[in-house]
Amino acid sequence: MSEDETKTPEIVLSLEIDDPALADRLATLLGNVAGLRLAAPGEQAAATVVARDARTMPDDIALTQRELDVLALMAEGGSNKMIARQLGISVHTVKFHVGSLLDKLDATGRTDAVAHAARRGVIEL
Amino acid sequence: MSEDETKTPEIVLSLEIDDPALADRLATLLGNVAGLRLAAPGEQAAATVVARDARTMPDDIALTQRELDVLALMAEGGSNKMIARQLGISVHTVKFHVGSLLDKLDATGRTDAVAHAARRGVIEL
DNA sequence: CGCGTAACTGGCCGCATGGCCAGGAAAATG
DNA sequence: CATTTTCCTGGCCATGCGGCCAGTTACGCG
C-alpha cells in the first residue's frame, strides 16, 4: 500500500441499489475508476448512489393538483384548519381531499399518508 | 426494429451533491467512464448520486429508547391504541411519550413529528 | 348534449389526539 | 442513601380527525 497519491483524496462511494443487476454493473464500472473507491460495509461514504424505484411507483399514483397541495401542507404538519386557511378553502373541502389522499395512498391516517408519499417519492421531506 | 445495442444500455446517472467541489470532481470522474453517462437536466436517471453533507444532525437529539419505539410505530401510521398494544403498555403511556416526542422534535402534531424525525435522520422512512 | 371527473361545501357522529392534572416504580448516578 | 431519569398509569376535556350522508359548480370528452 504505497501512499504516493497524497493530494488525490479518493472519493468513497456507497451503493444503495435495489436492482441486483444494476448494482453489479455499477459496482464493476465504478470500481475501475481512478480517484473513486467503493465503500466497505459500514464505512462512511462521501456520496451514495441510490436507485430505489422500479417497484412501488406505477407512475405517479394519479394525484390531482389540489391533492398535492394538501399533501404538501400535511407534510409540514398543518392541521385541516391551517391547510384550509392556506388554500383559501373550507375545512370540509380539506377533509374531502385528505380522504381522497388516504384512499389513493392506501394510508390509515394523515401521518401514514405523508410517510407513504415520502417513501414513494411523491413528496420530498 | 433491429436492436444492435441489446447488451450495453448506458447507465444514466444524475447528481444531487450539495458540495460544489465534490460535485465537480464526481462529474469529471464519472463523465469519463465508458458505459456511464450523466443525465441531462430533467432527464430520467437510472440511479442518483447523492451527498448532502452531514448538515442537520447534532448527534441524536437525545431520544430515549422508548420514545424511539413509539416514534417508529408512529411512522408506520399506528394509532395510539395500536402502539399501546404493540408495546404492551397503556394508551396513556403512549400519549405521554408522544407528548415528549412533540416537545423534543419541536413538532405540532404526530405527522409533523414523523416528518421532522425523518428529515434529520432520526428515523428511516 | 349527456356523462364523468375534479373541486368545492355542508352537517352529523364516533373516535383519536394532545394538553393538563395527578401519581408510582425501578434503575442509574451522585 | 438521596436524587435524577426513565418509564409507566390514571382521569378529564377541548379539539382534531376521518367516515358517512348529501348537494352544487365547472370543465373536458365522446
Side-chain angles (χ1 to χ4, degrees), chain A residues 59-78:
Chain A
D59 33 296
D60 271 307
I61 320 185
L63 294 184
T64 67
Q65 184 55 46
R66 215 46 168 175
E67 285 166 349
L68 288 174
D69 296 342
V70 173
L71 181 58
L73 293 173
M74 273 199 290
E76 299 300 320

Side-chain angles (χ1 to χ4, degrees), chain B residues 58-117:
Chain B
D59 29 300
D60 273 309
I61 319 184
L63 295 183
T64 68
Q65 184 54 47
R66 215 47 169 175
E67 286 166 348
L68 288 175
D69 295 341
V70 173
L71 181 58
L73 293 173
M74 273 199 291
E76 297 300 321
S79 66
N80 287 341
K81 189 185 295 182
M82 283 172 169
I83 297 174
R85 262 199 289 267
Q86 204 85 23
L87 296 179
I89 61 183
S90 83
V91 177
H92 284 278
T93 306
V94 175
K95 287 181 171 188
F96 170 79
H97 290 303
V98 171
S100 303
L101 250 0
L102 296 188
D103 198 44
K104 290 183 179 178
L105 292 173
D106 193 36
T108 64
R110 53 170 59 226
T111 302
D112 202 29
V114 169
H116 279 198

